[in-house]
Amino acid sequence: MQSDIGLIGLAVMGQNLALNIADHGFAISVYNRTTAKTDEFVKENPKTPGKLTGCPTMKDFAASLKKPRKAVILVKAGGPTDAVINELAAVFEPGDIIIDGGNALWTDTIRRERELKAKGLRFIGSGVSGGEEGARFGPSLMPGGDAAAWAELKPIWEAVASKVDAVTGVELTGATPGKPIKGGVPCVAHIGPDGAGHYVKMVHNGIEYGDMQMICEAYDLMRGLLGMTPDEIGSTFEEWNKGDLNSFLIEITAKVLKQKDPETGVPLVDVILDTAGQKGTGKWTSANALDMGVAAPTIAEAVFARCLSAVKDERVAAAKALRGPKRAMTNPDKAKIIEQIRDALYCSKICSYSQGFQLMREAQNEYKWKLNFGEIAQIWRGGCIIRARFLQKITEAFGKKPRLANLLLDPYFKKTVKKAQKNWRKVIALAVKHGIPVPTCSRVSATSSAPTPTSARTSPAASSSTSTGRIPSARRSRPEVLDRKQEGRPPGRPSSLCA
């Protein structure tokens, strides 16, 4: 019996996605350049609902697939992906479909589709978000490419995607090996042609960077200003997760902060080195925002925070030489300030997502795409790293007004920011007074009524910005100008929360 689909690359993400596909009854062939790994994987999973077939060669892999053949690639982005595509192209026939599920630069996806089309092959660049767990039990999927090719892949991608409740938008959970979620709305949609899917996945990752940095800043404010312990802060995040801030990242932050180091008994967060790297998608998002002339300072500041975290020795030396003000407040109204920090975090989050959607809006003009922003918000409600309750509000906002210029102009978000911005401003003022950095909570788009730096208020250049937050004189260029040789440099992380 031939397989419904194939998958190349059996690292953890590839293995988990293959098992997810098999759990839904699809027969799947798998291939890895190390044959022993293929054999081991198939041997360890003998009773999947859909048959797993291991293939020793690429030729065997192609022969095992139903026509038109469909093969998912999950290998390292860049050169390795090109190498696998070339190998597949040599054994595939016109009309067959290659799906890249890695974190590819969207311009690479545009190029690859063009090159494969000339050979009669079809190509889909699909964002896959949700990490290892999402790949196993239901990721958020963002495919872009030929519409007819998508129609061939659609039944499988809709089956394996995360599911949310049709009314509330809440993610349906409880899947176990061999027993996937039944019913619900799948978190997948055809984003658009060529590189649209990978572009939207890139922006998703940029927003994720901003979300993580904001959470770090909220943590630092509670610990620095109020002297709260990690366990107390974890309990606060748990409480916040019951309301508007409900999200996967808030949920796991609460759990991490309550963990103790098994060797020392101290909070785990205190023994994790506060430096981090990145995969490049946050940098791509920030660089593309500059190319497009779109203000996305929250995402950019999150990337810069990681860069700063990488120079640990320099930071330690500077802290000794340049002493700041006293971080702790004297006799603070703890409950009141926690509420203010919550409001600051929510407003900053709204602005960050607003910037991401503005960037996608400009990209569709640049690349002649037609993006459905309500649908994009909808498929981010489950499976992906930035899944959050308020994405239902974004879905509703674009549902009511598909051509909405800015999320902050939607009645719900406008009312929310208007109500909370006083507390937001107070938090930024307290942070400055006590020497606590809050780059993402204080750096927002010119489209909002949020506080901006003094230089931005007084400089002639700032006064010329339009209501869309774009600089009229910005020279836009294609993002091929990115220096991709620098992608591997480890820029660091904003704080020890991003372990």
Side-chain angles (χ1 to χ4, degrees):
M1 183 183 75
Q2 289 185 303
S3 296
D4 301 300
I5 193 168
L7 186 143
I8 298 173
L10 291 175
V12 176
M13 283 288 288
Q15 289 187 25
N16 282 359
L17 186 60
L19 291 173
N20 185 358
I21 292 170
D23 274 355
H24 286 83
F26 297 104
I28 178 169
S29 295
V30 294
Y31 170 82
N32 196 77
R33 64 185 178 87
T34 307
T35 306
K37 193 164 192 175
T38 304
D39 295 339
E40 182 183 8
F41 174 64
V42 174
K43 184 178 179 180
E44 289 177 350
N45 298 280
K47 296 182 180 180
T48 54
K51 182 175 169 52
L52 275 176
T53 300
C55 301
T57 69
M58 193 68 83
K59 188 174 180 180
D60 293 329
F61 177 78
S64 73
L65 301 176
K66 293 178 183 176
K67 296 182 181 180
R69 300 177 180 90
K70 297 178 287 292
V72 181
I73 299 172
L74 275 173
V75 300
K76 187 177 179 181
T81 297
D82 281 322
V84 172
I85 288 173
N86 290 337
E87 285 186 72
L88 264 179
V91 294
F92 269 22
E93 298 173 350
D96 290 345
I97 303 165
I98 298 173
I99 303 114
D100 176 14
N103 274 331
L105 184 66
W106 79 100
T107 50
D108 283 347
T109 304
I110 292 172
R111 169 183 58 79
R112 288 166 182 154
E113 193 208 35
R114 183 175 61 246
E115 291 172 352
L116 289 170
K117 189 175 182 180
K119 298 177 181 179
L121 296 171
R122 296 182 284 177
F123 187 67
I124 291 175
S126 181
V128 179
S129 178
E132 297 170 12
E133 175 123 356
R136 182 65 184 87
F137 298 113
S140 174
L141 297 166
M142 294 151 260
D146 177 70
W150 160 241
E152 297 280 354
L153 178 65
K154 185 177 180 180
I156 299 174
W157 245 220
E158 286 191 338
V160 304
S162 176
K163 309 296 191 299
V164 297
D165 183 86
V167 177
T168 65
V170 174
E171 184 176 25
L172 303 180
T173 58
T176 57
K179 296 181 179 180
I181 293 293
K182 301 292 185 182
V185 178
C187 293
V188 58
H190 182 233
I191 302 299
D194 51 66
H198 274 143
Y199 186 90
V200 168
K201 175 57 164 59
M202 176 195 74
V203 174
H204 162 284
N205 286 18
I207 291 172
E208 180 186 327
Y209 276 47
D211 267 359
M212 288 194 289
Q213 176 61 21
M214 289 173 208
I215 290 170
C216 293
E217 290 169 19
Y219 162 86
D220 204 22
L221 285 163
M222 285 186 274
R223 195 154 193 191
L225 294 176
L226 305 177
M228 294 170 64
T229 66
D231 193 74
E232 289 173 326
I233 300 171
S235 295
T236 299
F237 278 113
E238 276 184 343
E239 194 61 33
W240 287 353
N241 199 48
K242 297 175 184 176
D244 293 334
L245 282 169
N246 173 269
S247 68
F248 171 69
L249 289 173
I250 293 289
E251 177 188 342
I252 62 170
T253 298
K255 292 178 180 178
V256 168
L257 291 174
K258 287 178 172 289
Q259 295 296 312
K260 297 292 190 292
D261 176 44
E263 294 184 12
T264 63
V266 302
L268 181 64
V269 72
D270 288 340
V271 298
I272 297 173
L273 186 66
D274 58 334
T275 64
Q278 60 166 314
K279 294 180 179 178
T281 46
K283 186 188 79 171
W284 293 348
T285 308
S286 300
N288 182 244
L290 290 170
D291 283 333
M292 295 287 187
V294 176
T298 305
I299 296 169
E301 288 292 352
V303 175
F304 293 150
R306 291 181 179 227
C307 296
L308 186 60
S309 82
V311 290
K312 174 72 174 180
D313 293 342
E314 293 178 29
R315 289 191 287 114
V316 171
K320 294 175 181 177
L322 303 169
R323 307 300 296 180
K326 182 182 177 182
R327 288 167 61 90
M329 297 178 68
T330 303
N331 300 319
D333 186 335
K334 192 172 177 180
K336 183 178 179 180
I337 292 172
I338 287 174
E339 181 64 20
Q340 291 172 350
I341 294 171
R342 191 212 77 90
D343 285 350
L345 178 57
Y346 194 41
C347 287
S348 301
K349 187 180 180 78
I350 291 170
C351 286
S352 179
Y353 280 68
S354 177
Q355 292 165 27
F357 276 91
Q358 279 191 290
L359 184 55
M360 289 188 287
R361 186 184 67 182
E362 186 58 32
Q364 76 169 352
N365 297 331
E366 177 78 4
Y367 293 101
K368 305 298 185 289
W369 298 330
K370 189 175 181 181
L371 304 181
N372 185 328
F373 301 119
E375 198 169 53
I376 290 169
Q378 194 173 42
I379 66 175
W380 286 351
R381 294 178 301 176
C384 68
I385 303 300
I386 65 171
R387 58 186 183 268
R389 177 179 295 179
F390 98 130
L391 278 161
Q392 179 68 18
K393 295 294 184 182
I394 297 178
T395 301
E396 292 168 2
F398 283 111
K400 290 181 290 187
K401 196 171 183 179
R403 297 177 66 84
L404 181 67
N406 189 295
L407 278 178
L408 292 165
L409 301 178
D410 172 74
Y412 168 78
F413 292 111
K414 182 169 63 175
K415 180 181 178 181
T416 299
V417 173
K418 185 177 181 181
K419 179 181 178 181
Q421 68 168 309
K422 187 175 181 180
N423 279 346
W424 187 13
R425 294 174 187 273
K426 286 180 179 178
V427 166
I428 294 171
L430 279 172
V432 173
K433 181 180 179 181
H434 291 271
I436 297 175
V438 286
T440 55
C441 283
S442 59
R443 292 288 295 149
V444 295
S445 166
T447 57
S448 78
S449 58
T452 55
T454 303
S455 61
R457 292 182 178 180
T458 58
S459 71
S463 64
S464 68
S465 63
T466 67
S467 60
T468 63
R470 295 187 57 214
I471 303 170
S473 60
R475 181 179 179 272
R476 294 187 345 190
S477 61
R478 287 280 187 176
E480 283 86 340
V481 300
L482 285 170
D483 181 4
R484 302 191 61 230
K485 293 181 181 178
Q486 300 298 314
E487 288 170 21
R489 297 178 65 180
R493 100 181 142 196
S495 92
S496 52
L497 272 180
C498 292

